[in-house]
Amino acid sequence: MAQKQENLSKNQKIVLDIIEKSAQPMKAYSILFNVQKKGLKAPPQVYRALDKLVEIGKIHKIESRNAFIACRNSACTIANATAFSICESCEDVKEISSSKLSKYLSNFQDKEGMKYNKYNLEFFGICKKCK
Amino acid sequence: MAQKQENLSKNQKIVLDIIEKSAQPMKAYSILFNVQKKGLKAPPQVYRALDKLVEIGKIHKIESRNAFIACRNSACTIANATAFSICESCEDVKEISSSKLSKYLSNFQDKEGMKYNKYNLEFFGICKKCK
DNA sequence: TATAACTTTGTAATAATATAACGTAAGAAA
DNA sequence: TTTCTTACGTTATATTATTACAAAGTTATA
């Protein structure tokens, strides 16, 4: 089951809250700037919260953008199988939830038969609005 | 066709050379340190070369590691469809070349029928050696 | 040739992203 | 209580990447 928000620490709640309110991925220092009025003054406070939230699957890191996005899936403990759609024009990012895709990738084996416990996939293109 | 190495600038050749000699992904500042005896003294010289080499597909960036690896594929202009296997224990990284996987992902459409011109996939697990 | 346009280079400075280290405090467990 | 663990606050620093600008080299072509 998903970890409940009540189990989160104060700083973790603050950071998650601001990320959830953002439609788009947020950068760590943008988060920091936004939570300074709430008492989080230094980078480690933000990064610690981010680390934990990523770990429990409440947020995901968009690696190619060094930014963090809230997980909108109901079962958002799935921190180990993520896929995103990124518009290279407007930088709009959406999480892709395709059970077909996730099944395909979770079962993927390489030539030596190695299986993986985790993956991250980022698709790039131009979204409809930008076309 | 793949851009020939002869078309590369001096700095691009130097940087590509050192990455190709490394079995593992190299970080930008590690590259910088290693090429200082060859006259590349400052970060922009390295980053410019890296940018170009990524663009033409001679190297790829491992986003989750902020590191760069030489492309071993014969047709290494394919900068737009990359997949890697990363061992979370020894940090060994291998490029995955599975035509089945690349076909599947290149043809992937999301719910709105959007197609993508580029993707990057990173698999994580524990490699055989580390098991 | 020359001269403009463009690309690449070198360099200094700085921006942006992330972590180390250390001591304190608060809560859970024994 | 004592111990253990987790979280917190803080300072400093490490790491990754870009901006800005002038100089040098290349290419195109008048």
Side-chain angles (χ1 to χ4, degrees), chain B residues 9-12 41-45 48:
Chain B
S9 76
K10 184 183 131 236
N11 288 0
Q12 287 159 11
K41 293 178 195 156
Q45 297 173 292
R48 283 172 189 149

PDB file of all heavy atoms in Angstrom, chain B residues 9-12 41-45 48, chain C residues 8-15 17-18:
ATOM      1  N   SER B   9      36.306  18.394 -34.764  1.00  0.00           N
ATOM      2  CA  SER B   9      37.341  19.379 -34.449  1.00  0.00           C
ATOM      3  C   SER B   9      38.384  18.735 -33.524  1.00  0.00           C
ATOM      4  O   SER B   9      38.160  17.658 -32.971  1.00  0.00           O
ATOM      5  CB  SER B   9      36.722  20.583 -33.767  1.00  0.00           C
ATOM      6  OG  SER B   9      36.417  20.252 -32.427  1.00  0.00           O
ATOM      7  N   LYS B  10      39.460  19.422 -33.348  1.00  0.00           N
ATOM      8  CA  LYS B  10      40.549  18.902 -32.511  1.00  0.00           C
ATOM      9  C   LYS B  10      40.047  18.563 -31.104  1.00  0.00           C
ATOM     10  O   LYS B  10      40.268  17.450 -30.614  1.00  0.00           O
ATOM     11  CB  LYS B  10      41.659  19.961 -32.432  1.00  0.00           C
ATOM     12  CG  LYS B  10      42.896  19.525 -31.668  1.00  0.00           C
ATOM     13  CD  LYS B  10      43.907  20.674 -31.587  1.00  0.00           C
ATOM     14  CE  LYS B  10      44.418  20.897 -30.179  1.00  0.00           C
ATOM     15  NZ  LYS B  10      44.230  22.258 -29.657  1.00  0.00           N
ATOM     16  N   ASN B  11      39.374  19.486 -30.504  1.00  0.00           N
ATOM     17  CA  ASN B  11      38.889  19.238 -29.142  1.00  0.00           C
ATOM     18  C   ASN B  11      37.883  18.094 -29.096  1.00  0.00           C
ATOM     19  O   ASN B  11      37.875  17.300 -28.157  1.00  0.00           O
ATOM     20  CB  ASN B  11      38.259  20.509 -28.570  1.00  0.00           C
ATOM     21  CG  ASN B  11      39.296  21.563 -28.247  1.00  0.00           C
ATOM     22  OD1 ASN B  11      40.488  21.350 -28.448  1.00  0.00           O
ATOM     23  ND2 ASN B  11      38.854  22.696 -27.747  1.00  0.00           N
ATOM     24  N   GLN B  12      37.050  18.036 -30.098  1.00  0.00           N
ATOM     25  CA  GLN B  12      36.065  16.952 -30.143  1.00  0.00           C
ATOM     26  C   GLN B  12      36.766  15.601 -30.253  1.00  0.00           C
ATOM     27  O   GLN B  12      36.379  14.635 -29.589  1.00  0.00           O
ATOM     28  CB  GLN B  12      35.114  17.166 -31.323  1.00  0.00           C
ATOM     29  CG  GLN B  12      34.135  18.321 -31.073  1.00  0.00           C
ATOM     30  CD  GLN B  12      33.544  18.893 -32.360  1.00  0.00           C
ATOM     31  OE1 GLN B  12      33.688  18.324 -33.433  1.00  0.00           O
ATOM     32  NE2 GLN B  12      32.883  20.039 -32.248  1.00  0.00           N
ATOM     33  N   LYS B  41      41.672  23.427 -21.025  1.00  0.00           N
ATOM     34  CA  LYS B  41      41.833  23.867 -19.642  1.00  0.00           C
ATOM     35  C   LYS B  41      40.531  24.166 -18.924  1.00  0.00           C
ATOM     36  O   LYS B  41      40.477  24.161 -17.703  1.00  0.00           O
ATOM     37  CB  LYS B  41      42.713  25.117 -19.611  1.00  0.00           C
ATOM     38  CG  LYS B  41      44.145  24.845 -20.022  1.00  0.00           C
ATOM     39  CD  LYS B  41      44.940  26.144 -20.001  1.00  0.00           C
ATOM     40  CE  LYS B  41      46.264  25.957 -20.756  1.00  0.00           C
ATOM     41  NZ  LYS B  41      46.778  27.238 -21.261  1.00  0.00           N
ATOM     42  N   ALA B  42      39.498  24.492 -19.654  1.00  0.00           N
ATOM     43  CA  ALA B  42      38.294  25.014 -19.003  1.00  0.00           C
ATOM     44  C   ALA B  42      37.039  24.213 -19.370  1.00  0.00           C
ATOM     45  O   ALA B  42      36.964  23.630 -20.456  1.00  0.00           O
ATOM     46  CB  ALA B  42      38.109  26.473 -19.378  1.00  0.00           C
ATOM     47  N   PRO B  43      36.093  24.173 -18.449  1.00  0.00           N
ATOM     48  CA  PRO B  43      34.868  23.410 -18.661  1.00  0.00           C
ATOM     49  C   PRO B  43      34.178  23.633 -20.001  1.00  0.00           C
ATOM     50  O   PRO B  43      33.778  22.653 -20.639  1.00  0.00           O
ATOM     51  CB  PRO B  43      33.969  23.838 -17.499  1.00  0.00           C
ATOM     52  CG  PRO B  43      34.903  24.238 -16.431  1.00  0.00           C
ATOM     53  CD  PRO B  43      36.096  24.818 -17.117  1.00  0.00           C
ATOM     54  N   PRO B  44      34.036  24.863 -20.464  1.00  0.00           N
ATOM     55  CA  PRO B  44      33.291  25.030 -21.717  1.00  0.00           C
ATOM     56  C   PRO B  44      33.909  24.264 -22.886  1.00  0.00           C
ATOM     57  O   PRO B  44      33.181  23.787 -23.759  1.00  0.00           O
ATOM     58  CB  PRO B  44      33.370  26.535 -21.979  1.00  0.00           C
ATOM     59  CG  PRO B  44      33.528  27.134 -20.639  1.00  0.00           C
ATOM     60  CD  PRO B  44      34.374  26.165 -19.872  1.00  0.00           C
ATOM     61  N   GLN B  45      35.215  24.144 -22.883  1.00  0.00           N
ATOM     62  CA  GLN B  45      35.853  23.407 -23.980  1.00  0.00           C
ATOM     63  C   GLN B  45      35.400  21.955 -23.979  1.00  0.00           C
ATOM     64  O   GLN B  45      35.161  21.372 -25.033  1.00  0.00           O
ATOM     65  CB  GLN B  45      37.380  23.494 -23.823  1.00  0.00           C
ATOM     66  CG  GLN B  45      37.894  24.913 -23.938  1.00  0.00           C
ATOM     67  CD  GLN B  45      39.368  25.029 -23.624  1.00  0.00           C
ATOM     68  OE1 GLN B  45      39.785  24.847 -22.489  1.00  0.00           O
ATOM     69  NE2 GLN B  45      40.161  25.322 -24.632  1.00  0.00           N
ATOM     70  N   ARG B  48      31.395  21.790 -24.676  1.00  0.00           N
ATOM     71  CA  ARG B  48      31.080  22.008 -26.091  1.00  0.00           C
ATOM     72  C   ARG B  48      31.326  20.739 -26.899  1.00  0.00           C
ATOM     73  O   ARG B  48      30.508  20.356 -27.739  1.00  0.00           O
ATOM     74  CB  ARG B  48      31.959  23.126 -26.652  1.00  0.00           C
ATOM     75  CG  ARG B  48      31.532  24.506 -26.273  1.00  0.00           C
ATOM     76  CD  ARG B  48      32.610  25.472 -26.723  1.00  0.00           C
ATOM     77  NE  ARG B  48      32.400  26.818 -26.213  1.00  0.00           N
ATOM     78  CZ  ARG B  48      33.380  27.654 -25.931  1.00  0.00           C
ATOM     79  NH1 ARG B  48      34.649  27.281 -26.090  1.00  0.00           N
ATOM     80  NH2 ARG B  48      33.117  28.867 -25.482  1.00  0.00           N
TER      81      ARG B  48
ATOM     82  P    DT C   8      31.826  24.331 -35.693  1.00  0.00           P
ATOM     83  OP1  DT C   8      32.042  23.026 -36.330  1.00  0.00           O
ATOM     84  OP2  DT C   8      30.645  24.575 -34.849  1.00  0.00           O
ATOM     85  O5'  DT C   8      33.125  24.659 -34.850  1.00  0.00           O
ATOM     86  C5'  DT C   8      34.387  24.702 -35.508  1.00  0.00           C
ATOM     87  C4'  DT C   8      35.397  25.353 -34.605  1.00  0.00           C
ATOM     88  O4'  DT C   8      35.101  26.748 -34.473  1.00  0.00           O
ATOM     89  C3'  DT C   8      35.428  24.795 -33.179  1.00  0.00           C
ATOM     90  O3'  DT C   8      36.667  24.142 -33.009  1.00  0.00           O
ATOM     91  C2'  DT C   8      35.247  26.030 -32.292  1.00  0.00           C
ATOM     92  C1'  DT C   8      35.618  27.166 -33.231  1.00  0.00           C
ATOM     93  N1   DT C   8      35.036  28.507 -32.927  1.00  0.00           N
ATOM     94  C2   DT C   8      35.884  29.556 -32.672  1.00  0.00           C
ATOM     95  O2   DT C   8      37.097  29.464 -32.677  1.00  0.00           O
ATOM     96  N3   DT C   8      35.258  30.760 -32.414  1.00  0.00           N
ATOM     97  C4   DT C   8      33.890  30.995 -32.381  1.00  0.00           C
ATOM     98  O4   DT C   8      33.451  32.112 -32.135  1.00  0.00           O
ATOM     99  C5   DT C   8      33.054  29.837 -32.663  1.00  0.00           C
ATOM    100  C7   DT C   8      31.571  29.984 -32.661  1.00  0.00           C
ATOM    101  C6   DT C   8      33.663  28.664 -32.915  1.00  0.00           C
ATOM    102  P    DT C   9      37.174  23.637 -31.625  1.00  0.00           P
ATOM    103  OP1  DT C   9      38.245  22.648 -31.857  1.00  0.00           O
ATOM    104  OP2  DT C   9      36.004  23.287 -30.809  1.00  0.00           O
ATOM    105  O5'  DT C   9      37.844  24.940 -31.022  1.00  0.00           O
ATOM    106  C5'  DT C   9      38.996  25.506 -31.643  1.00  0.00           C
ATOM    107  C4'  DT C   9      39.477  26.668 -30.797  1.00  0.00           C
ATOM    108  O4'  DT C   9      38.457  27.678 -30.793  1.00  0.00           O
ATOM    109  C3'  DT C   9      39.720  26.311 -29.339  1.00  0.00           C
ATOM    110  O3'  DT C   9      41.107  26.316 -29.098  1.00  0.00           O
ATOM    111  C2'  DT C   9      38.983  27.390 -28.537  1.00  0.00           C
ATOM    112  C1'  DT C   9      38.575  28.401 -29.595  1.00  0.00           C
ATOM    113  N1   DT C   9      37.258  29.055 -29.373  1.00  0.00           N
ATOM    114  C2   DT C   9      37.229  30.388 -29.034  1.00  0.00           C
ATOM    115  O2   DT C   9      38.229  31.063 -28.878  1.00  0.00           O
ATOM    116  N3   DT C   9      35.964  30.907 -28.878  1.00  0.00           N
ATOM    117  C4   DT C   9      34.760  30.243 -29.036  1.00  0.00           C
ATOM    118  O4   DT C   9      33.694  30.820 -28.868  1.00  0.00           O
ATOM    119  C5   DT C   9      34.869  28.845 -29.392  1.00  0.00           C
ATOM    120  C7   DT C   9      33.641  28.025 -29.577  1.00  0.00           C
ATOM    121  C6   DT C   9      36.097  28.326 -29.537  1.00  0.00           C
ATOM    122  P    DG C  10      41.668  25.840 -27.716  1.00  0.00           P
ATOM    123  OP1  DG C  10      43.083  25.450 -27.922  1.00  0.00           O
ATOM    124  OP2  DG C  10      40.713  24.883 -27.121  1.00  0.00           O
ATOM    125  O5'  DG C  10      41.646  27.183 -26.858  1.00  0.00           O
ATOM    126  C5'  DG C  10      42.321  28.328 -27.350  1.00  0.00           C
ATOM    127  C4'  DG C  10      42.182  29.481 -26.357  1.00  0.00           C
ATOM    128  O4'  DG C  10      40.848  30.036 -26.442  1.00  0.00           O
ATOM    129  C3'  DG C  10      42.401  29.087 -24.896  1.00  0.00           C
ATOM    130  O3'  DG C  10      43.310  30.042 -24.355  1.00  0.00           O
ATOM    131  C2'  DG C  10      41.002  29.179 -24.276  1.00  0.00           C
ATOM    132  C1'  DG C  10      40.308  30.215 -25.143  1.00  0.00           C
ATOM    133  N9   DG C  10      38.863  30.100 -25.292  1.00  0.00           N
ATOM    134  C8   DG C  10      38.166  28.951 -25.615  1.00  0.00           C
ATOM    135  N7   DG C  10      36.874  29.151 -25.719  1.00  0.00           N
ATOM    136  C5   DG C  10      36.710  30.504 -25.448  1.00  0.00           C
ATOM    137  C6   DG C  10      35.518  31.290 -25.403  1.00  0.00           C
ATOM    138  O6   DG C  10      34.349  30.939 -25.614  1.00  0.00           O
ATOM    139  N1   DG C  10      35.801  32.614 -25.086  1.00  0.00           N
ATOM    140  C2   DG C  10      37.058  33.124 -24.848  1.00  0.00           C
ATOM    141  N2   DG C  10      37.125  34.420 -24.560  1.00  0.00           N
ATOM    142  N3   DG C  10      38.169  32.391 -24.879  1.00  0.00           N
ATOM    143  C4   DG C  10      37.922  31.104 -25.185  1.00  0.00           C
ATOM    144  P    DT C  11      43.920  29.890 -22.909  1.00  0.00           P
ATOM    145  OP1  DT C  11      45.200  30.621 -22.868  1.00  0.00           O
ATOM    146  OP2  DT C  11      43.869  28.475 -22.511  1.00  0.00           O
ATOM    147  O5'  DT C  11      42.876  30.702 -22.034  1.00  0.00           O
ATOM    148  C5'  DT C  11      42.641  32.076 -22.354  1.00  0.00           C
ATOM    149  C4'  DT C  11      41.554  32.627 -21.464  1.00  0.00           C
ATOM    150  O4'  DT C  11      40.256  32.304 -22.004  1.00  0.00           O
ATOM    151  C3'  DT C  11      41.550  32.083 -20.043  1.00  0.00           C
ATOM    152  O3'  DT C  11      42.053  33.110 -19.207  1.00  0.00           O
ATOM    153  C2'  DT C  11      40.092  31.740 -19.754  1.00  0.00           C
ATOM    154  C1'  DT C  11      39.349  32.349 -20.934  1.00  0.00           C
ATOM    155  N1   DT C  11      38.136  31.607 -21.367  1.00  0.00           N
ATOM    156  C2   DT C  11      36.958  32.300 -21.498  1.00  0.00           C
ATOM    157  O2   DT C  11      36.850  33.489 -21.267  1.00  0.00           O
ATOM    158  N3   DT C  11      35.886  31.552 -21.911  1.00  0.00           N
ATOM    159  C4   DT C  11      35.889  30.195 -22.190  1.00  0.00           C
ATOM    160  O4   DT C  11      34.857  29.625 -22.540  1.00  0.00           O
ATOM    161  C5   DT C  11      37.153  29.535 -22.030  1.00  0.00           C
ATOM    162  C7   DT C  11      37.263  28.066 -22.303  1.00  0.00           C
ATOM    163  C6   DT C  11      38.206  30.261 -21.630  1.00  0.00           C
ATOM    164  P    DA C  12      42.175  32.930 -17.617  1.00  0.00           P
ATOM    165  OP1  DA C  12      43.333  33.735 -17.194  1.00  0.00           O
ATOM    166  OP2  DA C  12      42.065  31.505 -17.245  1.00  0.00           O
ATOM    167  O5'  DA C  12      40.857  33.678 -17.126  1.00  0.00           O
ATOM    168  C5'  DA C  12      40.549  34.983 -17.627  1.00  0.00           C
ATOM    169  C4'  DA C  12      39.219  35.427 -17.055  1.00  0.00           C
ATOM    170  O4'  DA C  12      38.150  34.730 -17.733  1.00  0.00           O
ATOM    171  C3'  DA C  12      39.037  35.133 -15.566  1.00  0.00           C
ATOM    172  O3'  DA C  12      38.590  36.309 -14.927  1.00  0.00           O
ATOM    173  C2'  DA C  12      38.017  34.000 -15.521  1.00  0.00           C
ATOM    174  C1'  DA C  12      37.225  34.233 -16.791  1.00  0.00           C
ATOM    175  N9   DA C  12      36.650  33.013 -17.355  1.00  0.00           N
ATOM    176  C8   DA C  12      37.255  31.790 -17.495  1.00  0.00           C
ATOM    177  N7   DA C  12      36.486  30.879 -18.044  1.00  0.00           N
ATOM    178  C5   DA C  12      35.295  31.552 -18.279  1.00  0.00           C
ATOM    179  C6   DA C  12      34.068  31.142 -18.847  1.00  0.00           C
ATOM    180  N6   DA C  12      33.853  29.911 -19.306  1.00  0.00           N
ATOM    181  N1   DA C  12      33.075  32.058 -18.942  1.00  0.00           N
ATOM    182  C2   DA C  12      33.310  33.295 -18.482  1.00  0.00           C
ATOM    183  N3   DA C  12      34.412  33.798 -17.923  1.00  0.00           N
ATOM    184  C4   DA C  12      35.375  32.861 -17.856  1.00  0.00           C
ATOM    185  P    DA C  13      38.324  36.379 -13.367  1.00  0.00           P
ATOM    186  OP1  DA C  13      38.647  37.745 -12.927  1.00  0.00           O
ATOM    187  OP2  DA C  13      38.917  35.195 -12.716  1.00  0.00           O
ATOM    188  O5'  DA C  13      36.732  36.221 -13.318  1.00  0.00           O
ATOM    189  C5'  DA C  13      35.937  36.961 -14.237  1.00  0.00           C
ATOM    190  C4'  DA C  13      34.528  36.428 -14.186  1.00  0.00           C
ATOM    191  O4'  DA C  13      34.454  35.165 -14.874  1.00  0.00           O
ATOM    192  C3'  DA C  13      34.007  36.171 -12.765  1.00  0.00           C
ATOM    193  O3'  DA C  13      32.907  37.034 -12.534  1.00  0.00           O
ATOM    194  C2'  DA C  13      33.627  34.688 -12.759  1.00  0.00           C
ATOM    195  C1'  DA C  13      33.479  34.374 -14.243  1.00  0.00           C
ATOM    196  N9   DA C  13      33.726  32.974 -14.572  1.00  0.00           N
ATOM    197  C8   DA C  13      34.837  32.235 -14.278  1.00  0.00           C
ATOM    198  N7   DA C  13      34.777  30.990 -14.701  1.00  0.00           N
ATOM    199  C5   DA C  13      33.532  30.915 -15.311  1.00  0.00           C
ATOM    200  C6   DA C  13      32.863  29.858 -15.963  1.00  0.00           C
ATOM    201  N6   DA C  13      33.378  28.636 -16.106  1.00  0.00           N
ATOM    202  N1   DA C  13      31.631  30.117 -16.461  1.00  0.00           N
ATOM    203  C2   DA C  13      31.113  31.349 -16.307  1.00  0.00           C
ATOM    204  N3   DA C  13      31.648  32.413 -15.726  1.00  0.00           N
ATOM    205  C4   DA C  13      32.870  32.127 -15.238  1.00  0.00           C
ATOM    206  P    DT C  14      32.159  37.013 -11.109  1.00  0.00           P
ATOM    207  OP1  DT C  14      31.511  38.318 -10.968  1.00  0.00           O
ATOM    208  OP2  DT C  14      33.036  36.462 -10.057  1.00  0.00           O
ATOM    209  O5'  DT C  14      31.020  35.932 -11.400  1.00  0.00           O
ATOM    210  C5'  DT C  14      30.295  36.051 -12.617  1.00  0.00           C
ATOM    211  C4'  DT C  14      29.356  34.878 -12.744  1.00  0.00           C
ATOM    212  O4'  DT C  14      30.054  33.674 -13.096  1.00  0.00           O
ATOM    213  C3'  DT C  14      28.586  34.558 -11.458  1.00  0.00           C
ATOM    214  O3'  DT C  14      27.241  34.574 -11.822  1.00  0.00           O
ATOM    215  C2'  DT C  14      29.070  33.168 -11.077  1.00  0.00           C
ATOM    216  C1'  DT C  14      29.422  32.602 -12.435  1.00  0.00           C
ATOM    217  N1   DT C  14      30.333  31.444 -12.479  1.00  0.00           N
ATOM    218  C2   DT C  14      29.951  30.322 -13.191  1.00  0.00           C
ATOM    219  O2   DT C  14      28.893  30.231 -13.782  1.00  0.00           O
ATOM    220  N3   DT C  14      30.859  29.278 -13.186  1.00  0.00           N
ATOM    221  C4   DT C  14      32.084  29.262 -12.569  1.00  0.00           C
ATOM    222  O4   DT C  14      32.798  28.276 -12.637  1.00  0.00           O
ATOM    223  C5   DT C  14      32.434  30.467 -11.847  1.00  0.00           C
ATOM    224  C7   DT C  14      33.751  30.548 -11.135  1.00  0.00           C
ATOM    225  C6   DT C  14      31.560  31.483 -11.834  1.00  0.00           C
ATOM    226  P    DA C  15      26.051  34.560 -10.804  1.00  0.00           P
ATOM    227  OP1  DA C  15      25.359  35.834 -11.030  1.00  0.00           O
ATOM    228  OP2  DA C  15      26.442  34.148  -9.438  1.00  0.00           O
ATOM    229  O5'  DA C  15      25.161  33.408 -11.437  1.00  0.00           O
ATOM    230  C5'  DA C  15      25.091  33.288 -12.850  1.00  0.00           C
ATOM    231  C4'  DA C  15      24.525  31.928 -13.174  1.00  0.00           C
ATOM    232  O4'  DA C  15      25.566  30.922 -13.074  1.00  0.00           O
ATOM    233  C3'  DA C  15      23.421  31.497 -12.221  1.00  0.00           C
ATOM    234  O3'  DA C  15      22.433  30.920 -13.052  1.00  0.00           O
ATOM    235  C2'  DA C  15      24.098  30.486 -11.296  1.00  0.00           C
ATOM    236  C1'  DA C  15      25.139  29.869 -12.232  1.00  0.00           C
ATOM    237  N9   DA C  15      26.362  29.334 -11.620  1.00  0.00           N
ATOM    238  C8   DA C  15      27.263  29.982 -10.829  1.00  0.00           C
ATOM    239  N7   DA C  15      28.283  29.236 -10.464  1.00  0.00           N
ATOM    240  C5   DA C  15      28.035  28.023 -11.058  1.00  0.00           C
ATOM    241  C6   DA C  15      28.743  26.800 -11.058  1.00  0.00           C
ATOM    242  N6   DA C  15      29.891  26.610 -10.417  1.00  0.00           N
ATOM    243  N1   DA C  15      28.211  25.778 -11.757  1.00  0.00           N
ATOM    244  C2   DA C  15      27.053  25.976 -12.406  1.00  0.00           C
ATOM    245  N3   DA C  15      26.296  27.071 -12.477  1.00  0.00           N
ATOM    246  C4   DA C  15      26.853  28.065 -11.770  1.00  0.00           C
ATOM    247  P    DT C  17      19.109  24.090 -11.764  1.00  0.00           P
ATOM    248  OP1  DT C  17      18.352  23.395 -12.812  1.00  0.00           O
ATOM    249  OP2  DT C  17      18.429  24.866 -10.696  1.00  0.00           O
ATOM    250  O5'  DT C  17      20.035  23.020 -11.046  1.00  0.00           O
ATOM    251  C5'  DT C  17      20.726  22.060 -11.837  1.00  0.00           C
ATOM    252  C4'  DT C  17      21.484  21.151 -10.910  1.00  0.00           C
ATOM    253  O4'  DT C  17      22.453  21.920 -10.183  1.00  0.00           O
ATOM    254  C3'  DT C  17      20.636  20.445  -9.850  1.00  0.00           C
ATOM    255  O3'  DT C  17      20.806  19.051 -10.045  1.00  0.00           O
ATOM    256  C2'  DT C  17      21.211  20.926  -8.521  1.00  0.00           C
ATOM    257  C1'  DT C  17      22.609  21.336  -8.904  1.00  0.00           C
ATOM    258  N1   DT C  17      23.248  22.341  -8.035  1.00  0.00           N
ATOM    259  C2   DT C  17      24.473  22.043  -7.473  1.00  0.00           C
ATOM    260  O2   DT C  17      25.045  20.991  -7.651  1.00  0.00           O
ATOM    261  N3   DT C  17      25.005  23.038  -6.685  1.00  0.00           N
ATOM    262  C4   DT C  17      24.450  24.274  -6.420  1.00  0.00           C
ATOM    263  O4   DT C  17      25.032  25.070  -5.695  1.00  0.00           O
ATOM    264  C5   DT C  17      23.176  24.529  -7.034  1.00  0.00           C
ATOM    265  C7   DT C  17      22.486  25.838  -6.806  1.00  0.00           C
ATOM    266  C6   DT C  17      22.635  23.566  -7.814  1.00  0.00           C
ATOM    267  P    DA C  18      20.099  18.005  -9.025  1.00  0.00           P
ATOM    268  OP1  DA C  18      20.015  16.718  -9.748  1.00  0.00           O
ATOM    269  OP2  DA C  18      18.892  18.615  -8.470  1.00  0.00           O
ATOM    270  O5'  DA C  18      21.160  17.857  -7.861  1.00  0.00           O
ATOM    271  C5'  DA C  18      22.469  17.374  -8.180  1.00  0.00           C
ATOM    272  C4'  DA C  18      23.274  17.275  -6.913  1.00  0.00           C
ATOM    273  O4'  DA C  18      23.584  18.586  -6.412  1.00  0.00           O
ATOM    274  C3'  DA C  18      22.589  16.537  -5.765  1.00  0.00           C
ATOM    275  O3'  DA C  18      23.275  15.328  -5.594  1.00  0.00           O
ATOM    276  C2'  DA C  18      22.718  17.490  -4.569  1.00  0.00           C
ATOM    277  C1'  DA C  18      23.790  18.468  -5.018  1.00  0.00           C
ATOM    278  N9   DA C  18      23.734  19.820  -4.461  1.00  0.00           N
ATOM    279  C8   DA C  18      22.722  20.743  -4.589  1.00  0.00           C
ATOM    280  N7   DA C  18      22.967  21.892  -3.992  1.00  0.00           N
ATOM    281  C5   DA C  18      24.228  21.702  -3.430  1.00  0.00           C
ATOM    282  C6   DA C  18      25.053  22.551  -2.658  1.00  0.00           C
ATOM    283  N6   DA C  18      24.708  23.796  -2.316  1.00  0.00           N
ATOM    284  N1   DA C  18      26.245  22.055  -2.259  1.00  0.00           N
ATOM    285  C2   DA C  18      26.585  20.802  -2.604  1.00  0.00           C
ATOM    286  N3   DA C  18      25.896  19.914  -3.327  1.00  0.00           N
ATOM    287  C4   DA C  18      24.716  20.437  -3.711  1.00  0.00           C
TER     288       DA C  18
END
